[in-house]
Amino acid sequence: MSQEKIFTVGITGASGAIYGVRLVQELLKTDYKVHLIITEAGWQVFKEELLFETSDREKLLNELFINSKGNLHYHTLRDFTAPIASGSYRNEGMVIIPCSMGTLSGIAHGASGNLLERTADVMLKEGRKLLLVPRETPLNQIHLENMLKVSQVGGKIIPAMPGFYQLPKTMDDLINFVVGKVLDNIGVDHQLFTRWGD
């Protein structure tokens, strides 16, 4: 695999965009190179849920990830020339956080209709890590079957379900728990929550 530490992060239009923002911040903190894809619906969630000013997207990304040190690479959905669209580009994997049910469906059925879906398809065909963090409730049979399909071909499903055994006191504690579980599953050290028994 690559000697560089490289991950792709996708942020879709499901509620919970803050999870994706926090994950990117944590990866950049640990000197990962991050390829970031945000869907149009994801940008809408930034505006409506996080109350971010999204008219100047580049400025917002620079503010959110101020200490990226050149390690953040943003791609649009139509940028099929991006290195992450090819299996020959070596990297450690991909996390889609939060993952909408529409994106889940596209991945489960191999649609590759945009760069996000294509990159996820590359992770599966190359046997690399693919983690999906769905944020939807309730789930219907189609949702569950799509999660099963992705799981059966090597993806991992990590629902955005915070634990409470660490006695969270703030919203940040709940966010950090979910992001910490993702980091655990991609092998990245962190101090985002207190582990059971610690």
Side-chain angles (χ1 to χ4, degrees):
M1 294 302 291
S2 170
Q3 292 183 348
E4 278 190 289
K5 302 188 296 183
I6 304 171
F7 253 96
T8 298
V9 176
I11 299 176
T12 74
S15 180
I18 189 61
Y19 292 126
V21 171
R22 185 67 46 82
L23 176 64
V24 173
Q25 290 170 339
E26 289 297 315
L27 287 172
L28 291 172
K29 244 197 266 188
T30 53
D31 293 323
Y32 269 81
K33 178 186 285 187
V34 177
H35 290 275
L36 176 63
I37 309 166
I38 305 172
T39 67
E40 285 303 311
W43 283 110
Q44 290 179 31
V45 173
F46 273 22
K47 182 178 181 180
E48 302 298 331
E49 190 172 279
L50 300 179
L51 305 180
F52 290 159
E53 172 53 61
T54 59
S55 58
D56 187 335
R57 294 178 176 184
E58 183 177 356
K59 179 182 177 185
L60 176 59
L61 292 177
N62 287 335
E63 290 171 353
L64 287 174
F65 311 115
I66 193 167
N67 296 316
S68 65
K69 296 177 280 190
N71 283 335
L72 181 69
H73 303 273
Y74 172 71
H75 306 283
T76 66
L77 284 178
R78 308 314 302 171
D79 185 10
F80 286 103
T81 63
I84 53 177
S86 172
S88 65
Y89 180 68
R90 291 187 164 184
N91 59 90
E92 295 186 46
M94 180 180 194
V95 180
I96 302 178
I97 176 172
C99 182
S100 68
M101 295 301 98
T103 296
L104 168 67
S105 177
I107 295 167
H109 292 88
S112 291
N114 55 49
L115 181 64
L116 186 66
E117 292 175 2
R118 167 59 186 171
T119 305
D121 197 55
V122 167
M123 297 303 110
L124 294 174
K125 79 183 184 71
E126 298 293 331
R128 296 178 187 148
K129 293 175 183 174
L130 174 65
L131 282 69
L132 308 184
V133 183
R135 215 305 312 155
E136 185 64 86
T137 190
L139 298 168
N140 65 37
Q141 184 174 340
I142 295 171
H143 302 153
L144 295 169
E145 288 177 350
N146 284 338
M147 289 183 203
L148 180 60
K149 280 184 182 179
V150 172
S151 180
Q152 287 173 330
V153 294
K156 182 170 277 192
I157 308 298
I158 302 182
M161 297 177 179
F164 290 85
Y165 55 79
Q166 82 279 22
L167 303 179
K169 295 179 177 61
T170 66
M171 183 75 76
D172 258 4
D173 291 340
L174 298 174
I175 295 164
N176 285 341
F177 183 88
V178 172
V179 173
K181 293 298 284 186
V182 170
L183 291 169
D184 282 352
N185 278 270
I186 60 177
V188 177
D189 289 336
H190 67 87
Q191 304 295 321
L192 290 180
F193 60 77
T194 302
R195 298 179 185 281
W196 183 253
D198 286 355

